[in-house]
Amino acid sequence: MKLLTHNMLTSHVKGVTKGYPLLIKATEVKVSEVEFNPQFVSRMIPKLEWSALVQAAEEVGHLNDLPTELLPDYENNEEFLRKVHRVLLEVEVLEGSLRCPESGREFPISRGIPNMLLNEDEA
Amino acid sequence: MDNNKSLLLNIYAFLWSKSVMLQLKSKRNFFLYRSAFELWGQGRTHNELQSSLRKYPLEKMAPFTQRESTYKINVYTFNKTLVFQERIKKIDTLEFLPFQGKVSLKNPDHIFFLLEDYGSDPNNIPDEPLHVYFGRWIADGQRELIRSHSVKKRHFIGNTSMEAGLSFIMANHARVKAHDLVCDPFVGSGSLLVACSHFGAYVCGTDIDYNIVHGIGKASRKNQKWRGPDENIRANLRQYGTEHLYIDVLVSDSSKAIWREGPLFDAVVTDPPYGIRESTRRTGSQKEIGKPPEDLSGESHVPVSMVYQLSDIFTDLLRFAAHYLVMGGRLVYWLPVYRPEYRDEIVPQHPCLRLVSNCEQTLSSHTSRRLITMEKVKEVEDSDELALLLDSRFRPYRGHNAFREKYFSGVSKRRGKAEQSSSSDGGTDPQSE
């Protein structure tokens, strides 16, 4: 699971109103090299919840020097875009779980794939 | 290439969407399928086409009309069905063309197209075409592309992998382009994601089937007992060099909202389950109806499922698109149709989505599926939820009732390819392998 995906996911346990962001418990994290595409990163940034991204990066131990606040005029700041690219696309949680901040329900991640299915009584 | 005579044209898109022709007229290049269609003549009538063809330089025709080479002519009619006799008659009007070689239906050296455009209003089809075109299909580019994306060669095949040509058409309809983020909420084995990644879009998907997302379980390809560890969606993208565009796939129930509210995806491209090849399921609180799939690794709980009413799939899908598409973003999906009861009004609607196109692919005399393209034109408001409940336009789709029975009765076979001519809504797929 990439942090880009995590940024868009929310808990949907019945009755939960504050299910975002999901808390990451990672037991295996992988960093791989992914082709840098500044236009894609620029287009994604407005769709992101920045503080959730920073928090997620920290939870998996890859915050590094990612700014805690979104920089203005980021479209032209390649250095910044590269940092965002790394966190969004190159860091992956292979094993672990996502935890609903309100209900505590955990969604397992195995082989990099989160399982978001709820049981009948939770849906 | 001579700009006048050689135009880039996506022949499938032409058949399926008039908008492509309009773009062609404004001389936008279509590199979409890396294929070229060499126009030899055109006109508003067959007489005009003839004059136009007679003006096309013979030396340009010569390499493709040699005695030693074989050819065939396909007749494509947009927005009209012609019977076999009619198509043959139209080919006969081209007798004056200097073909010296023989006709080969199975494997011709050169393929030509007579294209007739009968407009875009299916309720008002003229007797005579509005425009006709004749040209040579430059087969290599397209065949190469289709062949390289052939389902047979792809590592991971699910039961429902869409043949390569159609998945590219869907991506085209959704206007998938580089730097987009595309989601397939019924991703299956990911064939649509592969096609979307071809256009440079980043791709993600969800599916309720744990095993298919993980690439576990009985292999769909004959003679294979197991899906290897690299038989999954990511591996498919890797095989085609687009792994860098892979975001994620998740195990999830599309009727449940796992995404944060807001415009996330530039396009939603999907082939929802029809409840035939794969079971339609979703999690719910009813008694168990079907057996949960075998989870070989034993580690992940796959909850009991209830039968997902086909009608609800489309309600959920349109809602998904309305909530998560960017403004102007497109939803493209297949709708199963029981033809005797079909009317345009039953195509699912949503207050935030505008219908862009509706193209039929016949499966049998009584069943077909329609490629539906919708565009988000309005952000979701609270009043929409009420409208969805009360307004009869937004009632759940019911056009599937007889679809399953008819499909199971065994009459559902796609029309074969190698005919001398084919019609636009006959679902002919000359590039399928």
Side-chain angles (χ1 to χ4, degrees):
Chain A
M1 182 200 68
K2 303 192 180 184
L3 297 188
L4 167 57
T5 306
H6 167 264
N7 196 267
M8 301 187 296
L9 286 175
T10 183
S11 166
H12 55 299
V13 174
K14 194 162 61 177
V16 162
T17 50
K18 295 198 181 72
Y20 182 89
L22 293 160
L23 305 166
I24 307 178
K25 244 170 55 181
T27 53
E28 193 183 328
V29 177
K30 185 173 101 158
V31 180
S32 34
E33 208 178 297
V34 176
E35 192 180 302
F36 172 57
N37 184 341
Q39 287 120 303
F40 176 70
V41 180
S42 286
R43 282 185 65 188
M44 271 314 301
I45 287 175
K47 298 179 187 174
L48 300 172
E49 284 286 324
W50 192 256
S51 54
L53 179 66
V54 170
Q55 184 181 326
E58 198 160 27
E59 282 172 336
V60 299
H62 284 272
L63 180 59
N64 297 338
D65 50 357
L66 184 73
T68 49
E69 299 270 324
L70 190 57
L71 293 187
D73 192 37
Y74 56 79
E75 299 97 337
N76 303 309
N77 188 336
E78 186 184 307
E79 194 190 320
F80 175 70
L81 291 177
R82 279 190 184 272
K83 289 181 190 166
V84 180
H85 162 82
R86 186 169 181 280
V87 162
L88 282 182
L89 298 177
E90 293 188 332
V91 177
E92 287 187 73
V93 178
L94 293 184
E95 301 288 331
S97 65
L98 297 169
R99 190 159 65 97
C100 171
E102 191 177 316
S103 68
R105 209 289 193 183
E106 288 195 0
F107 300 95
I109 302 174
S110 63
R111 275 172 287 223
I113 297 172
N115 183 345
M116 306 301 291
L117 291 176
L118 291 171
N119 298 322
E120 314 85 70
D121 48 326
E122 297 169 299
Chain B
M1 268 187 189
D2 180 351
N3 278 332
N4 284 336
K5 297 299 179 196
S6 301
L7 296 167
L8 292 170
L9 167 66
N10 177 331
I11 186 111
Y12 275 117
F14 171 72
L15 297 175
W16 290 91
S17 162
K18 190 80 177 293
S19 63
V20 173
M21 282 309 293
L22 294 173
Q23 285 168 323
L24 179 69
K25 282 168 188 165
S26 68
K27 290 197 174 89
R28 257 182 59 182
N29 279 341
F30 270 88
F31 290 98
L32 295 180
Y33 302 103
R34 282 191 247 123
S35 65
F37 174 72
E38 191 178 71
L39 197 68
W40 284 15
Q42 57 171 308
R44 285 166 306 170
T45 64
H46 273 270
N47 281 335
E48 280 185 22
L49 172 66
Q50 268 205 32
S51 327
S52 172
L53 281 171
R54 289 188 197 280
K55 290 207 198 95
Y56 191 75
L58 279 170
E59 61 269 14
K60 283 200 169 166
M61 289 191 190
F64 313 105
T65 54
Q66 304 283 341
R67 191 166 299 136
E68 308 82 42
S69 62
T70 56
Y71 72 100
K72 79 164 169 172
I73 300 176
N74 282 335
V75 177
Y76 273 86
T77 53
F78 181 79
N79 197 35
K80 186 167 188 156
T81 311
L82 298 182
V83 300
F84 185 71
Q85 257 70 24
E86 290 168 316
R87 296 200 290 267
I88 293 298
K89 269 210 304 217
K90 296 205 185 254
I91 293 174
D92 287 344
T93 65
L94 300 169
E95 251 174 355
F96 65 95
L97 288 172
F99 287 110
Q100 291 175 7
K102 286 210 186 95
V103 169
S104 165
L105 299 184
K106 279 229 165 108
N107 206 12
D109 296 318
H110 306 292
I111 301 178
F112 296 86
F113 285 93
L114 174 64
L115 289 161
E116 295 194 326
D117 180 2
Y118 287 86
S120 38
D121 184 355
N123 298 315
N124 190 14
I125 303 174
D127 291 329
E128 294 300 321
L130 303 176
H131 214 105
V132 292
Y133 307 82
F134 181 85
R136 182 176 71 88
W137 177 247
I138 300 175
D140 298 294
Q142 176 75 344
R143 281 228 188 102
E144 235 1 88
L145 180 70
I146 297 291
R147 203 174 278 131
S148 74
H149 286 263
S150 159
V151 168
K152 281 191 193 142
K153 283 174 88 178
R154 196 177 300 154
H155 234 27
F156 173 50
I157 297 181
N159 270 325
T160 56
S161 289
M162 195 172 304
E163 68 268 15
L166 287 179
S167 55
F168 286 113
I169 290 171
M170 290 181 76
N172 181 25
H173 271 250
R175 292 200 180 149
V176 172
K177 56 197 182 303
H179 321 308
D180 273 356
L181 180 61
V182 177
C183 181
D184 180 352
F186 299 98
V187 71
S189 54
S191 43
L192 293 178
L193 295 192
V194 173
C196 290
S197 76
H198 174 79
F199 299 103
Y202 290 75
V203 295
C204 64
T206 66
D207 202 287
I208 200 172
D209 189 330
Y210 179 94
N211 292 328
I212 208 173
V213 172
H214 279 262
I216 307 166
K218 239 171 57 170
S220 296
R221 208 193 308 244
K222 279 186 188 169
N223 305 324
Q224 215 173 337
K225 287 213 174 72
W226 210 256
R227 287 179 188 164
D230 46 289
E231 281 216 353
N232 55 30
I233 298 167
R234 189 171 196 158
N236 283 341
L237 287 166
R238 185 183 308 136
Q239 194 185 6
Y240 292 109
T242 54
E243 191 182 2
H244 61 287
L245 299 172
Y246 174 86
I247 300 293
D248 272 305
V249 288
L250 303 92
V251 181
S252 167
D253 178 346
S254 299
S255 69
K256 302 289 184 288
I258 61 170
W259 304 107
R260 164 169 52 84
E261 187 71 32
L264 301 173
F265 306 118
D266 297 289
V268 174
V269 181
T270 191
D271 183 16
Y274 307 151
I276 293 158
R277 280 177 294 194
E278 64 285 316
S279 48
T280 10
R281 313 189 320 264
R282 73 169 167 170
T283 51
S285 43
Q286 284 194 12
K287 244 169 43 170
E288 173 177 352
I289 291 170
K291 265 207 294 221
E294 214 103 76
D295 175 0
L296 297 160
S297 63
E299 64 192 42
S300 238
H301 171 67
V302 179
V304 158
S305 322
M306 60 182 261
V307 167
Y308 200 166
Q309 293 300 313
L310 205 56
S311 55
D312 294 344
I313 285 187
F314 302 106
T315 310
D316 290 338
L317 179 60
L318 267 63
R319 179 185 294 131
F320 181 90
H323 281 255
Y324 301 121
L325 276 174
V326 304
M327 193 62 74
R330 288 191 167 188
L331 163 67
V332 177
Y333 72 96
W334 288 104
L335 183 74
V337 163
Y338 179 59
R339 300 181 80 207
E341 287 172 6
Y342 174 79
R343 292 168 294 117
D344 284 342
E345 295 76 47
I346 67 173
V347 173
Q349 298 179 51
H350 190 285
C352 301
L353 305 173
R354 169 181 79 93
L355 180 69
V356 173
S357 67
N358 170 355
C359 309
E360 184 181 35
Q361 181 192 39
T362 312
L363 300 174
S364 72
S365 57
H366 280 60
T367 61
S368 67
R369 55 181 187 167
R370 286 178 171 265
L371 188 64
I372 307 293
T373 304
M374 304 190 85
E375 191 170 289
K376 178 168 174 177
V377 293
K378 188 177 89 65
E379 286 297 348
V380 177
E381 295 164 295
D382 289 335
S383 52
D384 294 328
E385 285 300 313
L386 200 60
L388 286 163
L389 286 172
L390 301 176
D391 192 326
S392 60
R393 282 177 298 160
F394 306 127
R395 214 166 276 153
Y397 184 63
R398 297 258 178 264
H400 59 282
N401 286 326
F403 180 87
R404 283 174 82 145
E405 279 123 62
K406 285 298 167 188
Y407 203 92
F408 274 127
S409 76
V411 292
S412 60
K413 236 183 156 188
R414 298 242 183 91
R415 286 205 208 147
K417 30 176 185 161
E419 282 181 355
Q420 167 68 355
S421 51
S422 40
S423 65
S424 62
D425 65 351
T428 307
D429 194 5
Q431 266 81 12
S432 72
E433 298 186 40

